[in-house]
Amino acid sequence: MKEASFDAAPELINKESRHSGFAGLIVREKEPLNLESPYHAFDSFLTPNELFYVRNHFSTPQLDSSSYELRIDGAVAHPLTITYEDLRKMRPRTYAVTLECAGNSRVFLAPQKSGVQWELGAVGTAEWTGVPLDDLLSRAQPIDGAVEVVLEGADRGKPANSPKPAGSIRFARSLPIRKARQPEVLLAYEMNGSDLPVEHGFPLRAIVPGYYAMASVKWLTHVTVVREPFCGYWQTTEYACWDASDCTPVRRPLASMMVKSVITRPRMHEVVAANTVKQVVGAAWTGDSDIAKVELTTDGGQSWHVARLIGPIQRYAWRHWECEWRTPARPGRYTLLARATDAAGSVQQDKHDPNYGSYAVHHTLPIDVLVERVVPERRPA
Ligand SMILES: Nc1nc2c(c(=O)[nH]1)N[C@H]1C(S)=C(S)[C@@H](COP(=O)(O)O)O[C@H]1N2
Ligand SMILES: [Mo]
């Protein structure tokens, strides 16, 4: 019976085999697909593909690698087109890179802001394999005076929020040319050693280490070098903030991830035993630097304890950390906060910066736990 339906739709079988499965991901939106990683996705340094969050603005485009082509044009001396097969013949690089959605942890904002209500899990780390974008830009030769590189995906549709252009648009983001030419910026075709799953950008996506993940354009089909800063919808209306550092606030595209730590265990509202030693664990990351320190407070900020940084050290990936907590003898509700500092001296603040709207939620995030004298035994399900 199964075989008959397989015969009927062979192309579906191929798509299914690349499908990552998504066991245990939390559905935040069905269409477009938005899936959040569960807490246990933080347990390993590399997030398995099937536990990696998915953030889509439009329907997932189905591209065929055998007819796929990437076009590079605009302000270049030699516009070019390259096939998937030829990309895979180029010298590959692999980097472990943490991607965090700029809207991650939005649910912690009060009052609530519109947008997908992510908790902690719109972040993950994978090993991405592909070719440096700069290897192709070097062939195309950007002209003097080129300032940015626009990355465009094959997905399209009508954006949700106003002001918005009439009709449907593609997902497109630009990078300053200096960032685009850094050797760590990849055009990736593998994620943790497998072909990119469809939802994560098959056959090719950008990976922009250090930047919030809107820069890592999936289903990448077009790279345009431009002479003026790109002011597209996803660059100025969405995924932008107000910058008031010079004079009157101006709109700026989000770029580097800001220093952040999350407590992943105990979980929000977990019941823990009084007067015992509890292991508190989490992860921390930052965009342009390395994590230097993570501290934990369990008494509302009166005392801070330095956590142990553990696990692999990779330039563009998160650090895991752990810290022991002697739980109080007195039952009640206690709030845990973690605070990260990076090597450049940036420290997580205790409040959200309103100039970032509903993005870059990277202040210390309170995790409330219940301390009880006797923890009720879990009954088997
Ligand atoms: N073409 C395209 N690229 C995209 C997006 C998209 O909707 N379309 N979403 C971006 C955003 S906002 C994020 S957070 C990351 C999510 O990558 P993931 O789904 O592989 O986790 O992809 C980025 N690249
Ligand atoms: Mo995102």
Side-chain angles (χ1 to χ4, degrees), residues 183-263:
E184 73 273 9
V185 175
L186 290 182
L187 304 182
Y189 44 74
E190 280 183 12
M191 178 179 186
N192 290 326
S194 310
D195 285 355
L196 274 182
V198 180
E199 292 73 14
H200 293 292
F202 183 87
L204 193 77
R205 76 175 300 172
I207 291 293
V208 184
Y211 271 35
Y212 281 112
M214 73 276 135
S216 294
V217 175
K218 304 191 276 189
W219 313 290
L220 182 70
T221 48
H222 194 181
V223 173
T224 315
V225 178
V226 291
R227 291 163 227 253
E228 277 182 36
F230 175 65
C231 295
Y233 177 82
W234 309 101
Q235 196 83 9
T236 52
T237 301
E238 297 276 319
Y239 298 115
C241 61
W242 292 105
D243 174 3
S245 56
D246 281 343
C247 55
T248 302
V250 291
R251 206 80 181 135
R252 291 230 196 278
L254 295 177
S256 297
M257 293 188 289
M258 278 176 281
V259 64
K260 180 167 176 177
S261 60
V262 292
I263 296 168

Side-chain angles (χ1 to χ4, degrees), residues 297-304 335 337:
T297 183
T298 57
D299 58 10
Q302 289 174 50
S303 61
W304 289 90
T335 300
L337 293 169

Side-chain angles (χ1 to χ4, degrees), residues 37 42 45-47 51-55 95-104 120-128 184 186 188 190-191 196 199-201 205-218 257 260 285-286 316-318:
S37 296
F42 285 96
F45 175 71
L46 294 180
T47 315
L51 288 183
F52 206 99
Y53 81 97
V54 175
R55 204 297 175 237
Y95 302 117
V97 176
T98 296
L99 295 186
E100 185 191 17
C101 179
N104 191 25
L120 300 178
V123 61
T125 301
E127 273 184 344
W128 308 95
E184 73 273 9
L186 290 182
E190 280 183 12
M191 178 179 186
L196 274 182
E199 292 73 14
H200 293 292
R205 76 175 300 172
I207 291 293
V208 184
Y211 271 35
Y212 281 112
M214 73 276 135
S216 294
V217 175
K218 304 191 276 189
M257 293 188 289
K260 180 167 176 177
W285 60 91
T286 187
Y316 291 105
W318 60 19

Side-chain angles (χ1 to χ4, degrees), residues 102 106 109 113 212 239-243 251-256 258 352-362:
R106 184 174 284 138
L109 297 178
K113 294 235 188 224
Y212 281 112
Y239 298 115
C241 61
W242 292 105
D243 174 3
R251 206 80 181 135
R252 291 230 196 278
L254 295 177
S256 297
M258 278 176 281
H352 177 62
D353 179 347
N355 274 323
Y356 283 87
S358 72
Y359 298 120
V361 182
H362 74 116

Side-chain angles (χ1 to χ4, degrees), residues 15-179:
K15 277 171 200 157
E16 290 297 313
S17 65
R18 291 201 307 260
H19 200 287
S20 48
F22 306 138
L25 285 174
I26 303 152
V27 181
R28 294 273 171 241
E29 218 177 323
K30 251 332 234 175
E31 179 60 37
L33 196 62
N34 283 291
L35 305 173
E36 175 159 350
S37 296
Y39 276 74
H40 61 271
F42 285 96
D43 289 349
S44 53
F45 175 71
L46 294 180
T47 315
N49 290 359
E50 65 276 12
L51 288 183
F52 206 99
Y53 81 97
V54 175
R55 204 297 175 237
N56 287 352
H57 292 89
F58 303 131
S59 304
T60 305
Q62 305 286 338
L63 302 182
D64 184 347
S65 56
S66 61
S67 58
Y68 171 86
E69 286 180 338
L70 175 68
R71 174 87 185 145
I72 302 188
D73 58 18
V76 296
H78 304 290
L80 62 93
T81 301
I82 185 163
T83 63
Y84 181 74
E85 210 187 344
D86 285 340
L87 275 164
R88 293 208 64 144
K89 285 184 193 144
M90 292 173 67
R91 189 182 148 206
R93 314 291 158 91
T94 299
Y95 302 117
V97 176
T98 296
L99 295 186
E100 185 191 17
C101 179
N104 191 25
S105 310
R106 184 174 284 138
V107 78
F108 284 85
L109 297 178
Q112 193 180 42
K113 294 235 188 224
S114 67
V116 182
Q117 296 300 305
W118 304 108
E119 295 184 23
L120 300 178
V123 61
T125 301
E127 273 184 344
W128 308 95
T129 300
V131 298
L133 170 58
D134 191 45
D135 288 2
L136 293 174
L137 289 175
S138 302
R139 289 190 195 176
Q141 290 182 23
I143 59 156
D144 292 347
V147 295
E148 288 188 356
V149 176
V150 181
L151 308 175
E152 195 179 49
D155 50 333
R156 61 184 313 147
K158 290 184 180 152
N161 301 323
S162 293
K164 58 182 166 189
S168 69
I169 58 168
R170 287 181 189 263
F171 187 85
R173 279 283 303 191
S174 75
L175 296 174
I177 194 145
R178 199 141 44 97
K179 178 73 182 180

